[in-house]
Amino acid sequence: MTNSDFKRIAVIGAGTMGSGIAGQIANAGHEVLLLDLPGKNSRNEVTENAVTRLLKSDPPALMHKKRAALIKVGNIEDDFDKLAECDWIVEAIVERLDIKKALYQRLNDVISPECVVTSNTSTIPIKLLVEDMPQDFRARFAITHYFNPVRYMRLLELVRGADTNPAVMDRLARYNDEILGKGVVQCGDTPGFLGNRVGVFALQVGMDEAAKQGLSVEEADALMGRPMGIPKTGIFGLYDLIGVDLMSDVVDTLGSILPDGDAFHAVGRKDNPVMPLINKMIASGYTGQKGLGGFYRGEGENTAIDLDTGAERPRNKILPESAVLAAEAQAEGRETLGLMISEGEKSHQTFCRNFLGRVLSYAADLIPKVTASPQDIDDAMKLGFNWIRGPFEMIDALSADQVAELATNAGVAIPPALAASQKNGPFYTVENGVLNVRRFETSDGVFAPVILPEGTVRFSFTRQTLTPILRNKAASLYALDGDLRLIEFHSKANALTGDSMAVVAAAAEDHGKGILVHNDAQHYSAGVDLNHFYALIEEANWNGIDAFLNDFQQACIALKYAPVPVVGAPSGLGLGGGYEVLVHCDRLVAHSNSVLGLVEAAVGVVPSGGGVKETFFRWHAATGDWRKAAWNTWMQVGYGQTGASPEQAAKLQYFRPDVDQSVMNRDKLITKATALIHEMQSGYSAPSKPVFTLPGNELLTEMDAFMSKGVADKMFYPHDKTVAMEIATIVVNPDGPEELAQIEQDLLDRERAAFIQLAKTPLTRERIRTMLFEGGAVRN
């Protein structure tokens, strides 16, 4: 079994997880057979409905609607014999051992002797699943535990059984890494594996401590969220997102399978003070976002419930003092965990101290009885729960002595791995330019290089081995092997500021032999810092806005005309100003989940970093017609259209499949992008200066008529027309007939003028204010 590429794959079970797995296989361009029980109204009703749900899902489960055609549907009565042709079958049916065992017996009678079978179970040990199966079946069996939603959650826990053939594990690992884009963590057959065991424990501890310290749900989520490097949903917001009832079931399941004496039992169903309230919520239909609401309710989740009484009340949006201080520290690149345990109200400090002491010591207690490597647990939490750092990286940030003190004060025994770190030093260290992790094959642990699949580079690891050429609080410039440069944005939410663009401009000057624009945050960049613009608008500082935009434009122009190849490698959101940096790169190597586009019109302004200009040029390259290019640019920028994948972005010219690349695994971005830079270096020359034609004002008349009709038909608000007509002034000559031009700067000047004109309007000011302070853009 040396070939990692499976040729014929089937998924049995068309529920949320089964259909999501089938969808991701289709996203990779592979055909997949999806089976479930026969339907009541039609034989394939269940699986057909599953594909329909994939097509309607938000966020989209499929990278393009045409991927649905790769999912062949059937049922386990009429189509079971088709499984004989498969070389990998994924079982994703109901979590009942008896039903799973019966299915495996049926499979064993049909499938080929080479076919690999895996289960998506999150709870049932392999030894129970296959205890009645023959040896050759057990050798080809493993657990492939995906996380929901499958397209977006990076973690795959690949669990081996006592009899699983290592070649099967290697084949599954390679396919999921290289083809499906997963971060694979190999696990032993232990209860809860790694991700859920630590992640759900952390949620339950947060809930337990919130109740004990008398915190509100808002306070707890604000503290156990971004300040700790955990998603902003925190505890109660994540319960609502996943489903209060589903989380309750997970808690019960973990409680039933974890060994006696495990610390989880103290925060599970029986002893957690919030669980009785959860029982009442579920019984009344308050199951989270999918139901009547959960811990947060009402329109825009503007109410929350009291943990003591369950009563609904207005939501408190004032952040705790320590969370505010942590946000300021994060913006300046300073450590936040120490602030969380020493600043702010006493109850907030105690919550954070006990949470960190209990959770970090619990993770350490899993070493070595669940895994010998702290990296496995760290990877599981980063890939499966979107933590910025794993538990052991957090221990290193605080120090093992500090965490041991927190654990002791929280009434928790110090586990051996934590004690070893107190004695011998951190879990991670850099030696001779290599990042090493302490592995616990022995009691004190021995350092070995972190383990990553072939072609995988995580800049969060690489960064620790480098010293930046230039660094400020918003961005850094690094030198990579091969005399390449890497621009990393790292401001809050990677919102672009003057400091960000100063590093871009510096890279264009100190360019080495090629420039890579990349960071490994969840989102590359959602655009320019609106807070900065709003402050300038409030001051009526139009010259300040013009100067900022001009600096932004000139940095992008310098990047575009640098004498070396420039490649952008985004993942997540690449919107607004973030996309404007990318559009000035020679090529993109984009993660397949990247969302690309120009969205400024939603807040009543226009893209003004060269984005309108470059979109106009790209549409001409695609159509050969300057008039069509102007119209298409005007329409999509005015509507704020985005592509939810590179494949969809290609329809908008934001991604060019003939020169750009899409990569399923975001951990391969740096490897692919640097290879592309090296490929481009031979004979490279910067782009030629453009010669272009601006359509005459007769097109402006058409645009005006289109918007006037839309306003009259109540499709648009009057201010939408104001914004649209300012966009039009960038790509149309408003003063006369068609005009041949060759000064790129003229279009940049038009972008800035349009932005400032709109910034002066009260409605644009209100849209920006609403976006910043009320969580959404108004339409007026």
Side-chain angles (χ1 to χ4, degrees):
M1 282 187 194
T2 58
N3 181 11
S4 65
D5 194 356
F6 293 98
K7 302 303 182 185
R8 298 187 67 84
I9 305 172
V11 177
I12 304 176
T16 300
M17 290 306 301
S19 61
I21 295 166
Q24 185 66 0
I25 294 168
N27 284 333
H30 290 208
E31 189 174 289
V32 58
L33 175 64
L34 180 62
L35 302 181
D36 207 305
L37 296 168
K40 295 180 180 179
N41 299 312
S42 67
R43 298 295 288 174
N44 296 336
E45 178 183 25
V46 176
T47 46
E48 288 170 352
N49 288 343
V51 174
T52 299
R53 288 196 306 272
L54 290 176
L55 289 167
K56 292 181 177 179
S57 61
D58 184 21
L62 299 177
M63 295 173 187
H64 195 286
K65 291 185 182 297
K66 67 183 181 183
R67 295 297 185 198
L70 292 171
I71 304 174
K72 308 303 179 182
V73 298
N75 66 80
I76 59 171
E77 288 186 4
D78 302 333
D79 303 290
F80 204 80
D81 59 326
K82 294 179 180 177
L83 299 174
E85 304 169 0
C86 295
D87 51 6
W88 179 26
I89 298 170
V90 183
E91 171 267 299
I93 63 174
V94 63
E95 288 284 85
R96 276 185 51 182
L97 181 60
D98 57 334
I99 298 177
K100 291 179 185 290
K101 282 186 170 185
L103 174 63
Y104 301 156
Q105 293 289 353
R106 287 189 66 192
L107 287 174
N108 193 52
D109 292 338
V110 172
I111 61 175
S112 75
E114 290 79 34
C115 179
V116 173
V117 178
T118 66
S119 173
N120 187 60
T121 184
S122 61
T123 58
I124 304 175
I126 287 183
K127 62 183 178 182
L128 296 181
L129 290 173
V130 296
E131 62 185 353
D132 301 328
M133 302 305 296
Q135 169 64 31
D136 65 330
F137 186 95
R138 297 200 304 269
R140 293 177 282 112
F141 188 90
I143 289 174
T144 46
H145 179 220
Y146 297 91
F147 279 60
N148 185 47
V150 180
R151 175 182 169 185
Y152 298 98
M153 297 306 295
R154 299 167 62 193
L155 178 62
L156 168 70
E157 291 180 317
L158 179 57
V159 185
R160 63 190 174 277
D163 299 312
T164 309
N165 187 330
V168 168
M169 294 292 288
D170 290 345
R171 189 180 185 193
L172 287 166
R174 286 196 302 271
Y175 183 85
N176 278 278
D177 169 63
E178 297 170 4
I179 308 300
L180 298 189
K182 295 301 171 187
V184 180
V185 175
Q186 297 202 27
C187 309
D189 191 19
T190 59
F193 313 137
L194 293 176
N196 279 342
R197 186 158 184 181
V198 177
V200 178
F201 177 77
L203 290 173
Q204 294 303 109
V205 169
M207 187 178 291
D208 182 57
E209 288 294 339
K212 289 178 177 176
Q213 308 309 324
L215 270 57
S216 67
V217 295
E218 300 98 317
E219 288 174 313
D221 283 350
L223 296 169
M224 190 196 140
R226 284 175 171 166
M228 291 193 185
I230 294 171
K232 66 179 181 179
T233 49
I235 312 157
F236 301 101
L238 185 57
Y239 250 76
D240 284 356
L241 179 65
I242 295 173
V244 177
D245 54 338
L246 294 179
M247 281 303 306
S248 179
D249 289 343
V250 171
V251 169
D252 286 345
T253 299
L254 284 172
S256 70
I257 63 175
L258 289 172
D260 293 340
D262 192 280
F264 183 88
H265 297 299
V267 292
R269 169 73 62 188
K270 182 179 178 181
D271 296 320
N272 194 309
V274 183
M275 295 308 289
L277 174 60
I278 286 176
N279 295 338
K280 293 178 182 178
M281 290 169 59
I282 295 170
S284 302
Y286 289 100
T287 56
Q289 294 178 7
K290 66 178 182 177
L292 300 174
F295 292 98
Y296 297 102
R297 301 175 187 175
E299 184 178 354
E301 296 188 336
N302 58 2
T303 65
I305 65 168
D306 186 285
L307 287 179
D308 288 328
T309 66
E312 192 171 341
R313 53 165 176 74
R315 182 171 181 174
N316 180 9
K317 295 187 178 181
I318 299 175
L319 292 175
E321 178 188 357
S322 55
V324 174
L325 292 172
E328 294 172 354
Q330 284 175 328
E332 296 172 1
R334 294 186 285 115
E335 181 55 58
T336 61
L337 295 180
L339 283 172
M340 301 304 293
I341 62 176
S342 62
E343 300 288 344
E345 294 182 20
K346 185 66 175 178
S347 62
H348 296 166
Q349 291 182 37
T350 303
F351 171 87
C352 293
R353 293 175 69 86
N354 289 351
F355 172 80
L356 289 169
R358 296 171 72 180
V359 172
L360 298 183
S361 62
Y362 184 80
D365 194 44
L366 300 180
I367 302 291
K369 56 190 177 185
V370 173
T371 176
S373 175
Q375 184 193 343
D376 288 342
I377 296 174
D378 284 348
D379 283 354
M381 296 313 299
K382 291 186 289 185
L383 299 173
F385 282 78
N386 286 330
W387 288 20
I388 292 176
R389 293 181 294 196
F392 296 92
E393 292 168 315
M394 295 168 77
I395 292 172
D396 283 354
L398 279 168
S399 84
D401 286 340
Q402 177 71 79
V403 173
E405 177 187 332
L406 297 178
T408 300
N409 291 340
V412 178
I414 299 173
L418 183 57
S421 183
Q422 287 183 276
K423 174 185 174 183
N424 301 309
F427 290 101
Y428 292 88
T429 188
V430 175
E431 187 173 342
N432 298 322
V434 176
L435 181 64
N436 295 285
V437 62
R438 191 183 298 276
R439 293 181 58 88
F440 285 84
E441 275 86 8
T442 63
S443 59
D444 285 343
V446 176
F447 278 117
V450 297
I451 297 174
L452 294 172
E454 183 179 356
T456 291
V457 177
R458 294 180 187 156
F459 192 66
S460 59
F461 285 172
T462 304
R463 186 195 306 112
Q464 298 178 53
T465 69
L466 303 174
T467 300
I469 297 171
L470 172 66
R471 179 182 174 86
N472 58 42
K473 63 183 180 181
S476 297
L477 179 64
Y478 293 91
L480 302 181
D481 291 343
D483 197 23
L484 304 185
R485 301 291 181 264
L486 184 144
I487 300 169
E488 180 197 26
F489 300 135
H490 48 67
S491 58
K492 182 180 179 181
N494 288 336
L496 302 185
T497 66
D499 284 339
S500 310
M501 302 314 293
V503 171
V504 173
E509 184 173 340
D510 180 10
H511 47 67
K513 295 181 179 179
I515 302 171
L516 173 60
V517 182
H518 172 77
N519 61 68
D520 61 359
Q522 184 176 2
H523 297 295
Y524 152 77
S525 175
V528 171
D529 181 7
L530 277 180
N531 286 289
H532 178 64
F533 277 130
Y534 186 72
L536 293 174
I537 291 171
E538 286 289 275
E539 298 167 3
N541 188 352
W542 315 122
N543 288 337
I545 291 177
D546 188 65
F548 175 89
L549 293 175
N550 185 63
D551 288 347
F552 193 109
Q553 291 174 344
Q554 297 314 309
C556 288
I557 285 292
L559 196 68
K560 177 178 178 178
Y561 293 112
V564 295
V566 181
V567 172
S571 59
L573 299 180
L575 302 176
Y579 178 73
E580 288 181 294
V581 174
L582 296 174
V583 79
H584 287 89
C585 298
D586 292 302
R587 308 273 182 88
L588 295 185
V589 176
H591 182 226
S592 54
N593 286 345
S594 299
V595 181
L596 306 175
L598 300 171
V599 295
E600 287 83 348
V603 291
V605 293
V606 301
S608 302
V612 178
K613 163 184 68 77
E614 291 297 321
T615 303
F616 179 48
F617 293 161
R618 287 188 173 197
W619 270 115
H620 179 260
T623 64
D625 186 320
W626 287 111
R627 193 177 189 282
K628 287 182 180 178
W631 181 268
N632 290 351
T633 299
W634 179 70
M635 288 288 283
Q636 75 184 49
V637 172
Y639 277 112
Q641 290 179 289
T642 62
S645 66
E647 196 169 7
Q648 292 186 19
K651 297 184 295 184
L652 304 171
Q653 305 306 314
Y654 291 145
F655 183 87
R656 300 164 299 174
D658 56 329
V659 295
D660 298 331
Q661 299 178 20
S662 177
V663 177
M664 287 288 285
N665 191 328
R666 61 178 289 170
D667 288 339
K668 311 294 185 187
L669 287 173
I670 289 181
T671 299
K672 298 283 188 181
T674 53
L676 181 58
I677 291 174
H678 291 309
E679 179 185 314
M680 295 169 64
Q681 285 172 340
S682 178
Y684 177 83
S685 59
S688 302
K689 300 286 185 178
V691 176
F692 54 94
T693 298
L694 291 177
N697 56 11
E698 77 284 350
L699 182 57
L700 195 68
T701 301
E702 281 188 42
M703 292 172 171
D704 186 273
F706 178 89
M707 292 305 302
S708 295
K709 184 177 186 304
V711 172
D713 293 342
K714 301 189 183 305
M715 294 175 59
F716 307 129
Y717 290 95
H719 194 59
D720 293 333
K721 179 182 176 183
T722 302
V723 175
M725 298 318 295
E726 287 296 335
I727 297 170
T729 64
I730 302 168
V731 293
V732 175
N733 177 20
D735 301 321
E738 180 177 282
E739 178 184 42
L740 182 67
Q742 53 184 351
I743 302 177
E744 192 172 1
Q745 185 62 44
D746 286 350
L747 294 184
L748 295 173
D749 294 343
R750 288 168 182 253
E751 288 185 0
R752 296 200 319 280
F755 186 103
I756 293 170
Q757 188 65 31
L758 289 168
K760 292 179 178 179
T761 65
L763 289 178
T764 284
R765 174 183 173 277
E766 178 62 16
R767 287 188 178 186
I768 295 175
R769 187 198 67 79
T770 303
M771 174 66 78
L772 288 174
F773 305 117
E774 297 180 20
V778 294
R779 305 296 296 170
N780 44 30

